[in-house]
Amino acid sequence: MASNDTLAERLLAGDKRALARAITLVENDDPLGWEVVQEVYPHTGRAALMGLTGPPGAGKSTLIGALTRARRAAERTVGVLSIDPSSPFTQGALLGDRIRLTEHFLDAGVFIRSMANRGALGGLSEAALQAALLMDASGKDDVFIETVGVGQAEVDIIGHADTIVLVLIPGSGDSVQALKAGVMEIPDIIVVNKCDHPLTDTVVREIRGVLSLAPQRGWRVPIVKTEAARGLGIDALIEQLELHRAHLEEEGTLEERRRRNLRSEVIAICANRMRRRLEEALHEDDGVFRGLLDEVVARRIDPASAATTLLERVDAAEAAPHAGG
Amino acid sequence: MASNDTLAERLLAGDKRALARAITLVENDDPLGWEVVQEVYPHTGRAALMGLTGPPGAGKSTLIGALTRARRAAERTVGVLSIDPSSPFTQGALLGDRIRLTEHFLDAGVFIRSMANRGALGGLSEAALQAALLMDASGKDDVFIETVGVGQAEVDIIGHADTIVLVLIPGSGDSVQALKAGVMEIPDIIVVNKCDHPLTDTVVREIRGVLSLAPQRGWRVPIVKTEAARGLGIDALIEQLELHRAHLEEEGTLEERRRRNLRSEVIAICANRMRRRLEEALHEDDGVFRGLLDEVVARRIDPASAATTLLERVDAAEAAPHAGG
């Protein structure tokens, strides 16, 4: 317990290695990690939490690199959390992307961390949010979370940011259609990166058309053109990030938004733990489960009835006293 | 119970109205609906279950319309299940899309149904799979399930098909990137629709490049060019659908795939029911929950500790005898 106290203390003092260690504990679902979060939580809530999402190849890492450079120039400290999608056959390419952040690796005011999606979707989103809290507690002024905008887990992660930035490029026809059809939520800021491309104005016009159809809220979603690789448009993006934050604070919606986010975080943690319990109860080597599945495959018991039987079993196991820890 | 027996019997006899009624019951989570599924389940497993996914605007409905026409010409009966994404401001447009299927509404050998995504994501996927079983039991030879390829719930639904078709168009840069990065799974068949577009060959070349990097399986994923609105390429697509089915049957993988799908369906139903219990236990007007949330927002209790407290409460409520039904 004493060494754990020290870890939390060192983290609060801004020690990079303590932060790295705490995130590893959380990522490994180590109870010590949860204890650290519990201890430092009263010191969170100060950082500006920004989520960047968008299709792979939109240049999110490069953009975050450029944002980090600009924030450092303004003497702000930065945390970056990159959520790696599970990539069975192109991991190299994605890691290569992240290399664009290397110039910041030696800067004490910058902390960069990647988290891999190792199949355990709910688990990843849970760990990512805890990691963001740890970065916040360690005194980072700005925390950027980067996810690929595909899949519910990624959406869950990004949903917890104060400001959500969607990064598109010329050629992002599918994302524009998804916005238009209402299957992708309208973010707070839209970036069109790689704006040196000749089709930039076409995609900007399409996005503007979609936004004009969207219900009007207090905040008018800006479209910012950037060419992150050359640092172009970054100042304009930072201005919009600050305007959005000021808007949240003026309207008093920052607290409201954070309450809603924390509420869904608590529920997500509960649901994820329940699901884990279920999966533990349903080992492949569980004879009853396998027998039931055989019956379902043979079309003798329907899936819903099989689920009812299994849930009764899980409940009975829950009601019985736990063996071991 | 007698009238319920009759509903199942009429459904098995191929009565369209009985099928519609049973799907409505399942969609409304009416216990009678689950009873019908239970009763007819032994008569399922005969239909070829095909899932079509892809970005909005790719022409999936038009393609299914063309496929339906071709299957009817071959004297096969067809069921179509369209999953509507929640669209806050463009519902009209999406419904307009579906109008392309109207020519089949009066055909007794075709059954078309839309299901809306009313926020209850897990619930929708559960209801959709039950609806597919009901179509299968009612004697449809081919069942097409159409979803927008965004979000985990849609992926869950499509994951239960025997054959998964991804529909893209020239301009689907984001989807091609998602395939390339490994964040979108490689389907069984890829369609490039609207192939009258000048950029068709570019996107086909990009897709071919992605497929050449993917790990080789027994089945070589074909790319089929269609122009569904004019019925072009539909025969080639049907040929590939039949080849894939023959491949599954020859390799004995159809049974294996269905076992895996049924397994995850059973688990998904369990997890969904557990989550629903949790949400019922956590009403907004639940004083303890609100009090805990207040503490989390005030940064006095961290989200994970709040989750632990809540789960203990839910478990205690589960262990106590249930009041009412």
Side-chain angles (χ1 to χ4, degrees), chain A residues 147-161:
Chain A
T147 73
V148 168
V150 186
Q152 195 55 43
E154 286 75 21
V155 172
D156 284 351
I157 295 168
I158 218 74
H160 286 79

Side-chain angles (χ1 to χ4, degrees), chain A:
Chain A
M1 202 60 184
S3 74
N4 188 34
D5 273 340
T6 312
L7 182 59
E9 278 166 12
R10 282 192 290 135
L11 186 149
L12 288 173
D15 179 341
K16 239 173 149 163
R17 288 181 57 191
L19 176 56
R21 170 95 184 108
I23 293 180
T24 302
L25 289 172
V26 160
E27 202 178 11
N28 295 340
D29 202 22
D30 188 315
L32 285 177
W34 297 96
E35 276 177 37
V36 175
V37 175
Q38 199 175 346
E39 229 175 308
V40 304
Y41 186 68
H43 304 275
T44 61
R46 218 184 46 81
L49 204 60
M50 287 155 290
L52 281 87
T53 185
K60 294 181 294 297
S61 294
T62 312
L63 195 64
I64 289 180
L67 285 170
T68 300
R69 206 171 307 125
R71 296 324 264 157
R72 290 303 291 144
E75 299 192 347
R76 291 176 67 90
T77 54
V78 175
V80 177
L81 184 62
S82 286
I83 310 300
D84 268 326
S86 59
S87 174
F89 60 93
T90 57
Q91 270 179 347
L94 287 174
L95 288 176
D97 221 41
R98 211 125 297 134
I99 285 169
R100 283 157 213 169
L101 290 166
T102 45
E103 67 167 283
H104 305 290
F105 279 151
L106 295 176
D107 180 346
V110 179
F111 183 88
I112 297 168
R113 177 70 172 237
S114 278
M115 269 192 174
N117 178 343
R118 302 206 204 88
L121 283 173
L124 175 73
S125 130
E126 207 173 306
L129 295 168
Q130 304 296 316
L133 286 175
L134 291 170
M135 289 186 182
D136 181 346
S138 84
K140 297 291 168 277
D141 298 312
D142 292 306
V143 174
F144 296 105
I145 310 183
E146 171 199 354
T147 73
V148 168
V150 186
Q152 195 55 43
E154 286 75 21
V155 172
D156 284 351
I157 295 168
I158 218 74
H160 286 79
D162 302 326
T163 301
I164 298 174
V165 181
L166 174 64
V167 185
L168 301 177
I169 47 172
S172 283
D174 292 345
S175 298
V176 175
Q177 287 298 319
L179 281 172
K180 193 170 170 187
V183 292
M184 190 193 275
E185 283 203 44
I186 305 284
D188 301 306
I189 296 170
I190 296 180
V191 168
V192 176
N193 192 28
K194 306 190 181 176
C195 70
D196 51 326
H197 191 284
L199 289 175
T200 300
D201 289 337
T202 310
V203 76
V204 168
R205 209 176 312 119
E206 283 171 356
I207 296 168
R208 208 162 270 150
V210 171
L211 292 178
S212 72
L213 293 172
Q216 296 305 309
R217 302 176 298 176
W219 169 253
R220 215 180 123 275
V221 178
I223 305 171
V224 183
K225 292 195 265 185
T226 62
E227 199 190 326
R230 296 206 296 148
L232 301 178
I234 302 303
D235 289 344
L237 176 54
I238 283 182
E239 194 191 336
Q240 290 299 336
L241 287 168
E242 286 178 345
L243 280 173
H244 184 252
R245 186 154 195 89
H247 166 79
L248 287 177
E249 281 167 359
E250 273 164 31
E251 304 276 310
T253 43
L254 181 60
E255 208 187 322
E256 191 188 300
R257 192 164 181 152
R258 285 188 163 180
R259 186 186 177 89
R260 197 189 58 209
N261 288 350
L262 288 169
R263 181 182 191 279
S264 39
E265 178 162 355
V266 171
I267 292 181
I269 295 175
C270 287
N272 190 38
R273 288 196 192 160
M274 287 173 91
R275 182 159 187 138
R276 216 179 305 163
R277 273 191 209 163
L278 178 72
E279 274 164 7
E280 277 163 19
L282 305 182
H283 310 286
E284 264 303 342
D285 57 356
D286 177 318
V288 178
F289 182 41
R290 210 173 43 230
L292 260 176
L293 260 186
D294 288 341
E295 293 295 291
V296 174
V297 171
R299 309 272 161 177
R300 282 188 292 264
I301 301 180
D302 68 292
S305 301
T308 304
T309 306
L310 286 172
L311 275 180
E312 280 165 5
R313 250 183 110 235
V314 172
D315 288 345
E318 289 298 317
H322 291 272

